[in-house]
Amino acid sequence: MTAPGGRPDPLVERMRPYRSSIFAEMSAAAVRTGAINLGQGFPDSDPPAVVVDAAVEALRSGHHQYPPGAGIPELRHAVARHQLRRYGLEVDPEDGVQITMGASEALAAAVLAFCGPGDEVVVLEPYFDLYAAVVALAGATLRTVTLRPPGYTVDPDELRAAVGPRTRLVVVNTPHNPTGHVATLSELEVLAEVCCDRDVLVVTDEVYEHLTFDDHRHVPLASLPGMFERTVTISSAGKTCSATGWKVGWASGPAELVQSVRAVKQHLTYSGGTPFQHAIAAVLDDVEEVVADLRAALEHQRDLLCDGLESIGLEVFRPDGTYFVTADVAPLGAEDGLTFCRELPERAGVAAIPTQVFYADPDDGRTLVRFACCKRPEVLGDAVERLRVAFR
Ligand code: PMP
Ligand code: GLN
């Protein structure tokens, strides 16, 4: 294969399908056109004051040099207390918790630690785009189990068909990006049954664990019988503390698995983000209090955006949690979500993410579009009005 200009393509072949991320493309389009960015998921208001104050305090207390490779002990212990207090999961703060540069690094290190050529990795689709890229980086093969609207629940038969003798790892994301679905106990039971039955490793992505709405509550897959010993549980402070740029994440679970993640992680970044690790360590014991207002605000914003999108004719799949609302734009006459999203900044002054890019077969989500609701109410109101005018 050749790059533009006829020269050999310097990018390794297995990464060529992942050359550009949809988040970069749509955020750049938003900046270029001055559109309201409901694409990439990040809040447009500051973290709670207690979180910012903790970082300022850490910066003023001399925490500027490399942290230990495993992460600072204060944060590892705080993560262990969090897992025990909220979920009854007992992890060793020394060997069973690894601090990472966001959940992204934890996910990459886990996939690279466990998978290689010939291995299959099963993910629920639509999937967060990083999964496919790191599976490719590992030289492993991606298999998908499709979640379908309106409920976006796991189909037990599809799951059983996908997890086979070559499956090394199953990646489960709940609360789920991009659909906002929070796995129910019965779905988790099916996942646990299949993973135990086929004796596979499991990585869970729980970065939205604190951002659930109504009476939905997050339950870690690792808390089901037979699951702890095969599961690496991943989360991060980005969403919980409204500080997505801080990139403080963690992996926890049985020592043997976490040590493997650590072995790879140390060769990716070794370690970093010392003051932010201290800040999160200072607030994690009180995280429910820290996140309460944020969650209530987000639930209200979810309703505003869902009602607004419905009022202009979109079919909306109301999320149980996360930053995101998925809607079908076919009622607006759109036949392809990617084309729709590429035109949207110019046409309406709004940016969004075409969900089709998160499916192995784009036809499974051809006209679905993801809108971020983690923006101030007036911004969401403005975005809905812009869409109303554009599609009148
Ligand atoms: N997993 C999911 C499902 C996400 O939406 C994101 C985006 N923040 C990440 C992982 C990455 O998390 P972090 O920013 O902590 O690397
Ligand atoms: N998790 C965020 C999203 O899904 C950000 C993704 C990213 O920047 N890679 O929008």
Side-chain angles (χ1 to χ4, degrees):
M1 192 182 284
T2 51
R7 291 185 308 281
D9 189 338
L11 182 63
V12 68
E13 192 173 345
R14 66 184 181 280
M15 291 309 290
R16 285 179 198 156
Y18 308 99
R19 197 180 295 268
S20 73
S21 130
I22 195 72
F23 302 113
E25 179 185 344
M26 294 305 164
S27 285
V31 170
R32 194 176 61 245
T33 59
I36 297 175
N37 190 355
L38 304 187
Q40 191 183 23
F42 60 89
D44 63 352
S45 34
D46 283 344
V50 63
V51 176
V52 175
D53 290 348
V56 171
E57 170 67 21
L59 281 164
R60 294 204 185 285
S61 305
H63 296 301
H64 304 291
Q65 311 311 329
Y66 297 129
I72 62 166
E74 294 89 334
L75 183 54
R76 280 188 276 111
H77 282 260
V79 168
R81 286 195 299 273
H82 175 273
Q83 295 303 94
L84 185 62
R85 177 169 52 80
R86 273 190 79 80
Y87 307 124
L89 290 169
E90 224 170 299
V91 291
D92 177 352
E94 302 303 328
D95 294 331
V97 180
Q98 172 63 46
I99 308 303
T100 56
M101 301 300 287
S104 301
E105 191 193 33
L107 287 159
V111 170
L112 290 166
F114 300 136
C115 307
D119 292 331
E120 290 183 358
V121 180
V122 173
V123 305
L124 309 178
E125 72 173 354
Y127 51 80
F128 182 49
D129 65 344
L130 176 140
Y131 304 166
V134 295
V135 168
L137 208 52
T141 303
L142 192 74
R143 299 256 338 230
T144 57
V145 174
T146 308
L147 307 177
R148 296 175 207 287
Y152 286 118
T153 52
V154 177
D155 180 309
D157 293 331
E158 277 194 43
L159 181 70
R160 285 191 194 101
V163 184
R166 304 182 80 97
T167 306
R168 171 72 172 154
L169 180 68
V170 175
V171 180
V172 177
N173 169 216
T174 182
H176 184 256
N177 176 8
T179 68
H181 176 61
V182 176
T184 61
L185 196 54
S186 60
E187 282 177 276
L188 294 171
E189 282 166 356
V190 171
L191 281 159
E193 178 212 306
V194 172
C195 292
C196 290
D197 190 42
R198 307 282 154 87
D199 195 19
V200 293
L201 295 175
V202 177
V203 164
T204 64
D205 177 347
E206 310 187 5
V207 298
Y208 300 98
E209 62 184 318
H210 290 282
L211 302 183
T212 59
F213 310 138
D214 312 316
D215 51 4
H216 296 279
R217 199 178 146 82
H218 170 67
V219 176
L221 187 53
S223 66
L224 273 77
M227 290 306 291
F228 179 78
E229 49 268 43
R230 64 181 69 251
T231 303
V232 171
T233 300
I234 289 172
S235 192
S236 97
K239 320 293 150 125
T240 304
C241 294
S242 244
T244 59
W246 288 16
K247 286 281 179 178
V248 177
W250 47 85
S252 67
E256 202 187 8
L257 298 185
V258 173
Q259 292 308 303
S260 304
V261 175
R262 183 171 296 169
V264 173
K265 180 265 184 297
Q266 69 182 333
H267 298 298
L268 297 178
T269 56
Y270 189 65
S271 66
T274 315
F276 300 118
Q277 290 195 23
H278 280 276
I280 301 304
V283 300
L284 204 55
D285 282 341
D286 300 317
V287 70
E288 288 82 1
E289 217 174 297
V290 171
V291 81
D293 288 349
L294 181 66
R295 193 179 44 201
L298 203 54
E299 189 173 312
H300 172 61
Q301 289 156 208
R302 182 260 328 240
D303 290 339
L304 271 180
L305 184 58
C306 288
D307 296 348
L309 294 176
E310 268 169 5
S311 77
I312 55 177
L314 281 75
E315 186 185 359
V316 173
F317 307 106
R318 201 169 280 253
D320 312 329
T322 78
Y323 278 172
F324 307 113
V325 171
T326 297
D328 193 333
V329 295
L332 299 181
E335 288 174 0
D336 182 77
L338 182 58
T339 309
F340 177 90
C341 287
R342 285 190 166 141
E343 292 172 357
L344 200 61
E346 302 273 6
R347 180 167 178 189
V350 174
I353 299 290
T355 310
Q356 62 173 260
V357 304
F358 303 141
Y359 291 86
D361 178 357
D363 272 341
D364 285 326
R366 185 59 69 189
T367 56
L368 299 177
V369 170
R370 190 193 83 172
F371 296 88
C373 62
C374 50
K375 307 291 172 180
R376 285 166 291 140
E378 60 271 29
V379 173
L380 294 174
D382 191 2
V384 168
E385 286 320 306
R386 289 181 183 204
L387 290 167
R388 194 189 309 283
V389 169
F391 294 97
R392 216 194 294 269

